[in-house]
């Protein structure tokens, strides 16, 4: 074997290493940063934020760095505080970070992405299947719109170099990333020396440590914490930079102090026991707990809200007058709820009646005026509510217009006469009340129309005034009832009210802890009462029963001698 063959780079023998240049071998071993670690402190994060490139930091560590350097410590590029994106990680019962839709636990081998405009973190498989392929460009948690540019890769198992510690710029340069508080702790001699174990030398070192320990300004610490809190709040309220316009989707219900008590338990279970049995991505559950209804679902249960609702339709031209509506949420809660919420948002203001058929009905509620538009409060159709005693049996019935089964939106109509052929085809959710409203309805019916039923003159709704919201009344009653029950429970824990306290035998306890009817705790109380009754009867009358003469007990007959046994058989 020649020297060139032995020293060649393509010789794969036991001595092949002798011909390989040492410069081709990396001197730094590969170290991968876990996905839940801060890229500066190299410790698990508590308040995660990320850069537009997807590098995760803890906000308490990145803020001091930005104030000093103003760059990304990993790449060295320019980075501003406004560029940081606050991340929202969902967690299961064990505190593990999971996908908020599939509940799949994140690991170092999971492809993780975040949405730039909301900060919610998902598994890429979930976004790919439910957003990209389905062309559903809405956040699966908040339903906010986003674009493909808003998807930020936080961890890609196919690109491990992005989390390789040996490529981090601040580690290569040996930059100091400690915060001011960490520097003070590091330079504090009392934290580096165990004074308690010094024995007699502690008396010498303690004054020296106290003298050399720098004074910590509590105001500076407080201002630092306040700046971090303000940064977190500003990041959470930062407007979206997505070019996709945000849809005007109304929230279902504003947050209130409505607590989920035992009344809001559903008749079905959560399903977590069965789901965790068949899926390894869920936290194991061994109990079949009943599901808890949301506030909206609880309110929109039929026969739940018994209060009547009232609203007034101010018509234009003003010569027509107004219509007073009585709403029935007991039998059509969804229709009443959607109508009231749209009215409170001003949805019906300025909308015309596009259809007016004399002797039948008048129809409106379509903002396009064509009879083909309009959406419900939830921006989607809701189901019919046909069960209940309400019928099309009179003039002035208020019902939902639709284009088939379970296609209710925002359009409604008011009947001019009894229309029994519409039974179980349209949801009735109210009626007209007051005589003046029926006079207005008569004037509406007399408006001239063309051959297609469209009014020749423009008639419509000027404004809707909600007089009584039955759902607000119900929530108020529920809150008062819950408060009363809570107060009763507190009284019960304290032993009951002053006039309700009883002993274990059922006797009422009066003021001072004294049992009602009890004169004292002396022995023989009932005997004294009996003697008192005897004294009232006169002298020793009560003792006569104790002084009666007792009869003598019956004596036994004496045995006769020789009378035992069978005798001498003389009488046989």
């Amino acid at each position: 074997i020649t020297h060139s063959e032995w020293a060649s780079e393509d010789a794969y023998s036991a001595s092949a290493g002798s011909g390989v240049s040492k410069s081709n071998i990396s001197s730094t071993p590969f170290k991968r940063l876990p996905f839940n670690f801060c890229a500066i402190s190299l410790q698990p994060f508590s308040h995660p934020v990320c850069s537009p490139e997807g590098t995760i930091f803890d906000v308490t560590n990145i803020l001091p760095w930005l104030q000093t350097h103003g760059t990304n410590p990993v790449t060295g590029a320019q980075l501003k505080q406004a560029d940081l994106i606050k991340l929202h990680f969902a967690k299961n019962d064990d505190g593990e970070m999971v996908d908020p839709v599939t509940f799949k636990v994140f690991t170092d081998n999971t492809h993780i992405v975040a949405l730039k405009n909301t900060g919610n973190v998902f598994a890429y498989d979930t976004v790919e299947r439910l957003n990209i392929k389905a062309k559903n460009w809405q956040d699966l948690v908040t339903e906010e719109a986003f674009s493909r540019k808003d998807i930020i890769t936080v961890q890609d198992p196919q690109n491990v170099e992005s989390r390789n510690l040996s490529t981090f710029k601040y580690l290569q340069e040996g930059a100091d990333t400690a915060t001011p508080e960490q520097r003070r702790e590091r330079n504090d001699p009392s934290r580096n020396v165990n004074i308690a174990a010094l024995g007699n030398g502690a008396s010498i070192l303690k004054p020296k440590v106290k003298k050399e320990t720098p004074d910590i300004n509590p105001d500076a610490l407080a201002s630092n914490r306040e700046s971090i809190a303000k940064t977190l709040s500003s990041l959470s309220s930062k407007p979206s930079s997505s070019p996709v316009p945000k849809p005007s989707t109304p929230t279902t219900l504003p947050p209130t102090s409505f607590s989920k008590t035992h009344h809001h338990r559903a008749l079905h279970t959560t399903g977590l026991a069965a789901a965790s049995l068949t899926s390894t991505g869920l936290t194991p559950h061994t109990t079949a707990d009943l599901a808890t209804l949301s506030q909206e679902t609880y309110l929109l249960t039929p026969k739940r809200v018994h209060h009547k609702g009232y609203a007034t339709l101010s018509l234009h031209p003003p010569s027509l007058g107004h219509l007073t509506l009585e709403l029935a949420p007991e039998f059509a809660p969804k229709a009443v709820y959607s109508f009231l919420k749209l009215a409170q948002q001003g949805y019906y203001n300025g909308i015309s009646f596009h259809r007016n058929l004399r002797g039948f009905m008048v129809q409106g509620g379509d903002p396009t005026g064509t009879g083909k538009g309009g959406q419900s409060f939830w921006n989607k159709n809701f189901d019919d509510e046909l069960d209940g005693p309400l019928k099309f049996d009179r003039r002035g019935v208020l019902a939902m217009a639709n284009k088939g089964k379970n296609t209710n939106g925002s359009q409604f109509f008011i009947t001019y006469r009894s229309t029994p052929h519409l039974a179980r085809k349209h949801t009735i959710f109210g009626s007209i009340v007051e005589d003046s409203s029926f006079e207005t309805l008569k004037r509406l019916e007399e408006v001239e129309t063309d051959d297609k039923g469209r009014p020749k003159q423009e008639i419509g709704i000027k404004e809707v005034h909600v007089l009584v919201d039955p759902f607000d009344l119900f929530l108020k009653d529920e809150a008062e009832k819950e408060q009363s029950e809570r107060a009763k429970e507190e009284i019960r824990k304290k032993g009951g009210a002053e006039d309700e306290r009883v002993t274990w035998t059922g006797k009422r306890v009066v003021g001072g802890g004294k049992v009602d009817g009890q004169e004292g705790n002396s022995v023989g109380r009932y005997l004294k009462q009996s003697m008192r009754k005897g004294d009232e009867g006169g002298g020793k009358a009560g003792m006569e029963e104790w002084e009666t003469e007792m009869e003598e007990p019956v004596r036994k007959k004496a045995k006769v001698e020789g009378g035992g046994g069978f005798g001498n058989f003389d009488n046989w």
Side-chain angles (χ1 to χ4, degrees):
I1 298 176
T2 63
H3 175 75
S4 60
E5 291 176 339
W6 175 72
S8 63
E9 294 183 0
D10 57 351
Y12 299 97
S13 64
S15 303
S18 61
V20 179
S21 175
K22 294 183 179 180
S23 60
N24 294 335
I25 302 177
S26 176
S27 60
T28 305
F30 174 78
K31 291 184 179 180
R32 181 178 180 180
L33 180 68
F35 76 95
N36 60 337
F37 275 51
C38 171
I40 296 182
S41 64
L42 307 183
Q43 298 294 326
F45 51 69
S46 301
H47 307 287
V49 295
C50 77
S51 64
E53 295 80 17
T55 306
I56 301 181
F57 307 99
D58 196 302
V59 69
T60 58
N61 296 317
I62 189 62
L63 286 184
W65 175 273
L66 293 179
Q67 292 173 0
T68 306
H69 302 85
T71 60
N72 189 328
V74 175
T75 62
Q78 291 293 326
L79 182 64
K80 299 180 181 179
Q81 179 176 322
D83 298 333
L84 298 177
I85 303 165
K86 184 179 180 180
L87 300 181
H88 304 283
F89 282 90
K91 295 184 179 181
N92 58 15
D93 294 343
D94 295 333
E96 298 172 324
M97 298 180 185
V98 298
D99 182 277
V101 178
T102 63
F103 298 103
K104 181 180 178 181
V105 179
F106 290 155
T107 65
D108 290 334
N109 298 319
T110 306
H111 193 171
I112 305 174
V113 296
L115 299 184
K116 185 177 181 180
N117 57 335
T118 62
N120 292 325
V121 182
F122 302 90
Y124 180 74
D125 295 339
T126 303
V127 176
E128 184 182 24
R129 287 188 293 108
L130 302 181
N131 290 116
I132 299 176
K133 291 185 178 180
K135 296 182 179 180
N136 175 30
W137 298 103
Q138 287 186 342
D139 191 306
L140 299 174
V141 176
T142 62
E143 296 185 356
E144 294 186 30
F146 69 95
S147 65
R148 189 184 292 270
K149 296 180 180 179
D150 292 327
I151 302 177
I152 301 174
T153 300
V154 175
Q155 175 181 258
D156 186 0
Q158 303 298 328
N159 182 21
V160 294
E161 284 299 325
S162 61
R163 306 190 68 81
N164 186 4
L165 292 176
S166 61
T167 62
F168 285 11
K169 187 174 180 62
Y170 78 96
L171 290 178
Q172 293 175 350
E173 297 177 353
D176 184 14
T177 60
T179 63
E181 293 184 13
Q182 292 174 344
R183 293 192 186 97
R184 281 192 292 267
E185 293 179 358
R186 186 182 301 169
N187 298 329
D188 187 0
S190 63
R191 297 180 178 271
N192 301 327
V193 179
N194 187 5
I195 300 178
L198 290 179
N200 296 332
S203 59
I204 303 174
L205 188 59
K206 280 183 180 180
K208 185 177 181 181
V209 168
K210 185 176 181 181
K211 182 178 179 180
E212 295 180 356
T213 301
D215 295 332
I216 299 176
N217 187 1
D219 296 335
L221 293 178
S223 62
N224 188 22
R225 296 190 185 97
E226 290 178 1
S227 64
I228 293 174
K230 290 180 180 179
T231 303
L232 286 173
S233 61
S234 63
L235 291 176
S236 60
S237 60
K238 185 171 59 176
S240 170
S241 60
S242 172
V244 181
K246 182 179 178 180
S248 58
T249 304
T251 55
T252 54
L253 272 177
T256 60
S257 59
F258 189 71
S259 63
K260 297 179 179 179
T261 60
H262 64 279
H263 302 293
H264 313 113
R265 293 293 183 184
L267 299 179
H268 58 274
T269 63
T270 57
L272 292 176
S276 62
L277 177 65
T278 57
S279 174
T280 58
L282 294 180
T283 303
H285 288 263
T286 57
T287 57
D289 299 327
L290 292 178
T292 303
L293 299 176
S294 64
Q295 179 178 340
E296 184 178 288
T297 305
Y298 178 72
L299 284 177
L300 301 185
T301 303
K303 299 183 180 180
R304 177 85 69 192
V305 180
H306 299 280
H307 299 279
K308 296 288 186 180
Y310 293 92
T312 300
L313 304 183
S314 299
L315 306 182
H316 69 84
S319 59
L320 292 175
H322 67 276
L323 296 173
T324 302
L325 307 178
E326 183 182 69
L327 308 176
E330 183 177 0
F331 306 106
K334 294 180 182 178
V336 174
Y337 187 84
S338 178
F339 178 82
L340 289 177
K341 292 302 178 183
L342 291 177
Q344 292 171 351
Q345 293 176 357
Y347 183 88
Y348 291 116
N349 296 347
I351 292 180
S352 61
F353 291 109
H354 61 273
R355 193 180 181 199
N356 188 17
L357 302 177
R358 183 173 299 182
F360 183 31
M361 60 87 189
V362 59
Q363 182 175 340
D366 179 12
T368 65
T370 62
K372 299 179 180 180
Q375 289 183 327
S376 69
F377 172 70
W378 303 281
N379 284 343
K380 62 181 181 180
N381 297 331
F382 60 91
D383 296 343
D384 296 327
E385 297 168 301
L386 307 177
D387 296 331
L390 304 179
K391 299 179 181 179
F392 290 97
D393 56 355
R394 65 186 185 279
R395 179 182 176 89
V397 175
L398 177 64
M400 295 298 300
N402 57 40
K403 51 186 177 182
K405 183 179 180 181
N406 299 330
T407 57
N408 299 290
S410 64
Q411 296 189 39
F412 61 90
F413 65 91
I414 304 172
T415 61
Y416 288 140
R417 64 176 178 86
S418 174
T419 54
H421 62 282
L422 299 179
R424 301 197 67 80
K425 295 181 181 179
H426 295 270
T427 299
I428 303 173
F429 67 97
S431 61
I432 288 179
V433 293
E434 295 183 354
D435 296 338
S436 61
S437 298
F438 284 97
E439 293 295 330
T440 301
L441 192 64
K442 183 179 180 181
R443 288 190 287 270
L444 277 175
E445 188 177 7
E446 294 173 352
V447 174
E448 295 185 3
T449 60
D450 57 15
D451 55 350
K452 295 182 179 180
R454 296 189 65 86
K456 292 183 177 181
Q457 71 175 92
E458 185 178 357
I459 57 174
I461 303 171
K462 180 181 179 181
E463 192 176 1
V464 180
H465 301 277
V466 178
L467 304 178
V468 177
D469 191 336
F471 300 101
D472 288 346
L473 293 178
F474 177 78
L475 291 178
K476 184 178 179 181
D477 293 345
E478 285 284 300
E480 293 177 355
K481 187 185 300 182
E482 185 177 349
Q483 186 176 2
S484 176
E485 291 179 356
R486 193 182 300 112
K488 290 182 180 179
E489 181 66 18
E490 291 295 331
I491 294 175
R492 187 192 65 80
K493 291 180 179 179
K494 295 179 181 179
E498 192 65 29
D499 56 345
E500 296 177 352
R501 298 175 60 189
V502 295
T503 63
W504 67 275
T505 59
K507 292 187 177 182
R508 188 168 63 92
V509 179
V510 296
K514 189 176 181 181
V515 179
D516 189 16
Q518 180 177 339
E519 298 180 359
N521 296 326
S522 59
V523 180
R525 175 164 55 92
Y526 298 103
L527 180 60
K528 292 181 179 180
Q529 292 179 0
S530 177
M531 294 176 63
R532 190 182 304 112
K533 292 180 181 179
D535 294 341
E536 294 175 357
K540 298 183 179 182
M543 299 295 295
E544 289 179 356
E545 56 179 326
W546 301 99
E547 296 178 356
T548 55
E549 184 177 357
M550 300 184 64
E551 297 181 358
E552 184 178 357
V554 180
R555 297 177 179 273
K556 293 183 179 181
K557 294 182 180 181
K559 292 184 178 181
V560 181
E561 296 183 1
F566 289 100
N568 53 5
F569 301 99
D570 291 340
N571 296 327
W572 285 55

